Amino acid sequence: MGTFSVNKVVIAGAGQAAVQAVTSLRAGGFAGSVTMIGAEPVPPYQRPPLSKAYLSGAMGLDRVVLKPLEALADEGVTFVPATKVVTLNRQDRTVTDSAGHAHAYDALIIASGSHVRQLSVEGADLAGVHYLRTVADADGLREELAAGRRLVVIGGGYIGLEVAAIARKAGMDVTLVEALPRVLARVTTPQISAFYEELHRNEGVAVMTGTGVVRLTGNDRVDGVMLDDGRVLPADAVLVGIGIIPNTDLASGADLDVDNGIVVDEDARTSDRQIFAIGDCATRPLVHYQGRRGRLESVHNALEQAKLAAAAILGLPRPPLEPPWFWSDQYDVKLQTAGLSGGSQRTIIRGSPADRRFAAFHLDGDNRLLAVDAINAPPEFVVGKQLIARGLKVAPEKLGDMSISMKQIAADTL
Ligand SMILES: Cc1cc2nc3c(=O)[nH]c(=O)nc-3n(C[C@H](O)[C@H](O)[C@H](O)COP(=O)(O)OP(=O)(O)OC[C@H]3O[C@@H](n4cnc5c(N)ncnc54)[C@H](O)[C@@H]3O)c2cc1C
């Protein structure tokens, strides 16, 4: 666009998306000032290891941090940690932080992420009840991991499942309680849910689906989880992973469009042309799925939207867009998923779930690939992602035939 001149960029938030915005702005030649204000007391870091190698202790904080303070300084970024942006004044083009300082901007990037949904039952505030969003949360949870202790995980989403896997590896006695009839119900198809339920049961997790939690018991510390059928599961610790809520207060307080996320266009621009919103806090057009928009909770989305915002601020061409993609690590199983399976008419399984190496291809009524879930199957993921990006029709019988390589399918189709 480049029709307004930008000398001062302010970024509200200092996570995955914010860091990429800085990188892309500088790589694109932006020589003006960048101020990055982040609520947490630590340098910007990546969250995926918090439920994986960081939680298990295999990875230290140094490897989780995305940009140490020196790197930020080298890039000419004024980093303001442990400080929240609390108000946005669009008329004056300033934001005010929790220390009372005002920061003027020509372009503002809101990269405020999300916060965890809280469990709203009696006892939810007892000690020993954990959530997982920040390094501090992961440090607190790690202290609970010890062989022989009992962990109840409430919520069968990716976070709950990944924590269950790490806790089992640590020798804990793990029960996972999910209110819906299957795990991962919000994000994937029944076949993949069934695979993960079986995987966790085989690894010794007691998986209880279609089961609600009515109360947490204990005096000072949690000692049990009461289910909706009246049973009480004894617990030494509880991990709650029941979803996140986008941080949109700043935007709604300044009358920007908000609808389960800050509403942005294809350039990550909000309803104010000098304000952008990127990452978990934004709801964006899903360009590979005509007419749809939505909020994506993934590293890929955070990075892609950061690049879009930086390009728009610098007046550079819009970078190419990939279909949404995501990964999850549990035990020896790596899931890589591309696309969105909602609205799929047919699922083709390639390979064998029993071998822990297979892919589920989700097709629409015209045999266009909408999504792929690849379990320990990188070629299926890579080729599937390309097919989704191109919106091409595929022959279902080929996808299901292991004697035809993915390379061949790509050569025949792309
Ligand atoms: C445990 C865990 C595991 C995950 N695993 C995966 C995975 O395997 N693969 C994957 O693709 N994704 C994964 N994700 C999701 C991924 O980490 C997020 O989608 C990504 O971090 C979003 O980036 P973001 O910059 O939008 O938000 P964040 O990284 O959350 O950064 C936002 C930052 O802004 C700060 N902030 C909020 N409000 C304000 C304010 N008003 N002023 C100043 N600062 C503010 C927040 O404190 C936070 O530090 C995982 C997430 C978690 C929590």
Side-chain angles (χ1 to χ4, degrees), residues 63 96 189:
R63 283 175 59 209
T96 312
T189 54

Side-chain angles (χ1 to χ4, degrees), residues 103-172:
H103 305 266
Y105 65 84
D106 302 315
L108 171 68
I109 302 177
I110 303 176
S112 51
S114 51
H115 59 277
V116 293
R117 186 185 301 282
Q118 305 264 339
L119 188 67
S120 58
V121 300
E122 194 186 327
D125 53 356
L126 287 167
V129 178
H130 295 263
Y131 294 85
L132 185 50
R133 182 76 200 165
T134 64
V135 159
D137 294 339
D139 291 342
L141 180 59
R142 197 195 294 118
E143 283 175 22
E144 304 276 12
L145 304 183
R149 299 187 80 223
R150 293 160 303 188
L151 176 71
V152 176
V153 174
I154 301 176
Y158 285 118
I159 305 272
L161 292 172
E162 288 184 354
V163 171
I166 296 290
R168 279 300 297 147
K169 275 196 211 157
M172 292 184 87

Side-chain angles (χ1 to χ4, degrees), residues 10-14 35-39 83-91 93-98 101-103 105 107-115 245-259 261-263 270-272 274-278 281-282:
V10 172
I11 308 177
T35 303
M36 186 166 79
I37 304 161
T83 306
K84 275 191 88 166
V85 176
V86 284
T87 51
L88 162 56
N89 183 329
R90 289 165 56 194
Q91 278 69 43
R93 288 191 205 123
T94 55
V95 294
T96 312
D97 69 28
S98 47
H101 296 122
H103 305 266
Y105 65 84
L108 171 68
I109 302 177
I110 303 176
S112 51
S114 51
H115 59 277
I245 298 168
N247 291 328
T248 57
D249 287 1
L250 201 58
S252 49
D255 285 333
L256 294 172
D257 291 350
V258 172
D259 179 12
I262 305 169
V263 177
T270 67
S271 46
D272 179 322
Q274 284 173 267
I275 304 178
F276 298 79
I278 59 178
C281 68

Side-chain angles (χ1 to χ4, degrees), residues 12-18 37-40 47-48 50-52 83-85 111-114 132-133 159 162 247 250 278-281 297-300 302 325-328:
Q16 189 90 49
I37 304 161
E40 293 183 68
R47 296 181 198 279
L50 303 186
S51 50
K52 307 176 184 75
T83 306
K84 275 191 88 166
V85 176
S112 51
S114 51
L132 185 50
R133 182 76 200 165
I159 305 272
E162 288 184 354
N247 291 328
L250 201 58
I278 59 178
D280 280 9
C281 68
E297 302 166 0
S298 70
V299 168
H300 162 249
W325 62 268
F326 183 83
W327 76 94
S328 174

Side-chain angles (χ1 to χ4, degrees), residues 183-310:
V183 302
L184 299 175
R186 253 182 354 105
V187 290
T188 194
T189 54
Q191 293 93 333
I192 298 296
S193 298
F195 171 78
Y196 275 105
E197 287 170 16
E198 196 181 325
L199 172 70
H200 279 272
R201 287 192 175 117
N202 286 340
E203 297 287 347
V205 176
V207 179
M208 305 173 78
T209 53
T211 306
V213 168
V214 292
R215 188 152 81 84
L216 304 188
T217 60
N219 291 322
D220 302 329
R221 236 195 105 80
V222 69
D223 63 16
V225 173
M226 186 182 284
L227 306 176
D228 52 11
D229 61 7
R231 277 181 297 168
V232 177
L233 302 173
D236 299 308
V238 169
L239 181 271
V240 182
I242 55 172
I244 56 173
I245 298 168
N247 291 328
T248 57
D249 287 1
L250 201 58
S252 49
D255 285 333
L256 294 172
D257 291 350
V258 172
D259 179 12
N260 179 32
I262 305 169
V263 177
V264 297
D265 67 12
E266 283 185 32
D267 292 312
R269 186 183 278 112
T270 67
S271 46
D272 179 322
R273 59 198 290 273
Q274 284 173 267
I275 304 178
F276 298 79
I278 59 178
D280 280 9
C281 68
T283 169
R284 64 179 290 188
L286 302 169
V287 295
H288 298 91
Y289 302 87
Q290 213 133 51
R292 282 177 63 189
R293 66 161 45 247
R295 207 166 52 71
L296 301 171
E297 302 166 0
S298 70
V299 168
H300 162 249
N301 175 64
L303 302 182
E304 187 170 88
Q305 284 199 299
K307 292 175 192 169
L308 288 169

